[in-house]
């Protein structure tokens, strides 16, 4: 009887293990979870932090995230009439900068050509899997007087399964988002698919610091300070603990560059900012 109970117990455990292995494991911060759980868990994080996301970015980076995004957009070289996709861009921070840059370029050009047709054809698609983040972005657009701007298109969508046609975009950006997808290689493949030949891929992401003393300080700040600030400001320590852990699980700069090349991109390069706290990776589709 005792042996039969043990056998049943082993069968139950084997069944659970097989179920876990069949669904495949992936990381959620430092935890291992099933792939089919991760997207929901990440969604819960961003639903929780959406309303305080921009304030927390300012606090966590000392406002430097604004300069990092400006650097990202400067590498893109936006132009009037372009079709651009900004993924994981729900709050609109990168999209607004791209649009500002295009209007600046257009203003200089229109003094000579007086032709605003290209400006009217510009479309910046802001794609995010989280409806709450998009809601924050739309409100920010309205507050900036861009609520009726036809150039901004808000789309709820998955970076791994984009609904846009192949070779339809002049540019693709993703800022602080790719480390949250379940399959980075699938997101990169989709980025390559939707870009036109000659299109540029740009990724701004928190990365890895190698200088020993700076790394120790950065680790202390990340694990001791950021979750505490999240608890005090956003009332959510766990979400910011995950965000810190997800940075450490993200591939290092060289490895990520290799992944971009394997997706088909050429002329892949990266630039470290603040000693590798963040990195901007870029690649071209030929």
């Amino acid at each position: 009887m005792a042996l039969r109970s043990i056998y049943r117990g082993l069968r139950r455990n084997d069944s659970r293990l097989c179920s876990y292995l069949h669904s495949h494991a992936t990381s959620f911060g430092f935890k291992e979870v099933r792939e089919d759980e991760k997207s929901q868990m990440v969604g819960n994080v961003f639903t929780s932090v959406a309303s305080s996301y921009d304030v927390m970015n300012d606090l966590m980076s000392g406002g430097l995230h604004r300069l990092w995004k400006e650097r990202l957009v400067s590498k893109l070289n936006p132009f009037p009439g372009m079709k651009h996709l900004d993924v994981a861009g729900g709050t609109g921070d990168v999209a607004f900068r791209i649009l500002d840059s295009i209007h600046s370029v257009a203003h200089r050009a229109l003094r000579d050509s007086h032709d605003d047709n290209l400006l009217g054809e510009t479309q910046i698609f802001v794609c995010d899997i989280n409806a709450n983040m998009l809601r924050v972005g739309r409100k920010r657009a309205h507050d900036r007087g861009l609520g009726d701007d036809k150039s901004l298109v808000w789309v709820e969508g998955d970076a791994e399964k984009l609904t846009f046609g192949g070779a339809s975009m002049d540019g693709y950006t993703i800022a602080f988002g790719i480390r949250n997808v379940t399959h980075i290689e699938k997101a990169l493949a989709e980025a390559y698919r939707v870009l036109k030949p000659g299109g540029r891929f740009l990724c701004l992401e928190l990365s890895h610091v190698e200088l020993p003393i700076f790394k120790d300080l950065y680790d202390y700040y990340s694990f001791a300070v950021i979750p505490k600030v999240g608890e005090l400001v956003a009332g959510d320590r766990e979400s910011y603990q995950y965000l810190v852990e997800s940075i450490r699980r993200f591939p290092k700069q060289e490895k990520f560059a290799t992944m971009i090349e394997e997706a088909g991109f050429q002329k892949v390069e990266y630039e470290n900012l603040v000693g590798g706290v963040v990195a901007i990776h870029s690649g071209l589709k030929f």
Side-chain angles (χ1 to χ4, degrees):
M1 193 73 174
L3 287 174
R4 188 177 300 166
S5 296
I6 292 171
Y7 177 72
R8 285 182 187 141
L10 290 172
R11 286 286 300 273
R12 281 196 299 271
N13 287 337
D14 285 346
S15 176
R16 288 171 188 160
L17 179 60
C18 287
S19 174
Y20 183 84
L21 292 175
H22 180 71
S23 63
H24 302 290
T26 188
S27 64
F28 178 77
F30 289 159
K31 300 175 185 175
E32 292 297 316
V33 299
R34 294 196 305 270
E35 286 184 351
D36 57 1
E37 292 178 323
K38 179 170 179 175
S39 60
Q40 181 62 49
M41 295 172 77
V42 171
N44 291 340
V45 166
F46 284 94
T47 294
S48 174
V49 306
S51 61
S52 58
Y53 186 75
D54 290 314
V55 172
M56 280 299 298
N57 276 348
D58 277 330
L59 290 173
M60 289 188 297
S61 71
L64 287 175
H65 75 99
R66 299 170 184 269
L67 298 177
W68 301 335
K69 290 168 184 171
E70 292 288 352
R71 180 63 176 162
L72 178 77
V73 172
S74 73
K75 286 176 172 285
L76 178 66
N77 293 320
F79 56 89
M82 80 180 301
K83 301 292 186 288
H84 182 81
L85 177 59
D86 182 43
V87 176
T91 64
D93 232 17
V94 171
F96 298 149
R97 285 172 166 79
I98 293 172
L99 200 56
D100 286 345
S101 178
I102 288 172
H103 278 284
S104 176
V105 171
H107 177 71
R108 292 195 299 271
L110 291 174
R111 285 183 301 187
D112 297 324
S113 68
H114 303 289
D115 185 359
D116 61 354
N117 289 336
L118 280 177
L119 191 59
E121 293 172 5
T122 300
Q123 285 188 301
I124 312 298
F125 295 89
V126 184
C127 179
D128 202 294
I129 200 169
N130 191 287
N132 289 284
M133 296 290 280
L134 288 168
R135 195 173 297 118
V136 171
R138 287 193 185 98
K139 182 180 183 306
R140 291 186 67 206
H142 182 270
D143 292 344
R144 293 169 65 102
L146 298 172
D148 297 322
D149 195 319
K150 297 295 191 297
S151 297
L152 285 172
V153 184
W154 305 86
V155 180
E156 186 173 345
D158 187 342
E160 296 183 27
K161 295 176 288 187
L162 296 171
T163 57
F164 304 96
S168 60
M169 299 291 168
D170 296 296
Y172 175 112
T173 49
I174 182 166
F176 306 126
I178 203 163
R179 74 179 186 280
N180 296 310
V181 304
T182 303
H183 306 96
I184 293 173
E185 67 281 3
K186 287 184 180 180
L188 292 172
E190 281 292 88
Y192 187 85
R193 181 184 67 82
V194 301
L195 279 170
K196 299 175 184 178
R200 182 178 292 276
F201 166 87
L202 283 162
C203 175
L204 170 65
E205 190 54 87
L206 292 155
S207 200
H208 296 270
V209 174
E210 296 299 334
L211 294 174
I213 296 176
F214 189 27
K215 184 179 185 302
D216 291 343
L217 291 172
Y218 180 53
D219 284 344
Y220 174 79
Y221 176 73
S222 297
F223 289 99
V225 178
I226 288 177
K228 186 64 176 177
V229 173
E231 182 178 17
L232 292 173
V233 176
D236 187 348
R237 183 186 184 93
E238 288 187 4
S239 290
Y240 287 94
Q241 183 70 34
Y242 156 73
L243 292 174
V244 168
E245 292 176 1
S246 69
I247 298 165
R248 300 310 189 273
R249 295 299 297 265
F250 188 68
K252 291 188 176 182
Q253 289 90 322
E254 287 289 347
K255 171 62 177 174
F256 186 48
T258 299
M259 294 175 73
I260 297 169
E261 289 174 341
E262 289 172 348
F265 289 100
Q266 298 183 41
K267 294 193 173 181
V268 175
E269 58 187 20
Y270 66 88
E271 177 185 14
N272 282 330
L273 303 175
V274 197
V277 171
V278 297
I280 299 176
H281 283 74
S282 67
L284 289 172
K285 176 179 178 178
F286 290 134

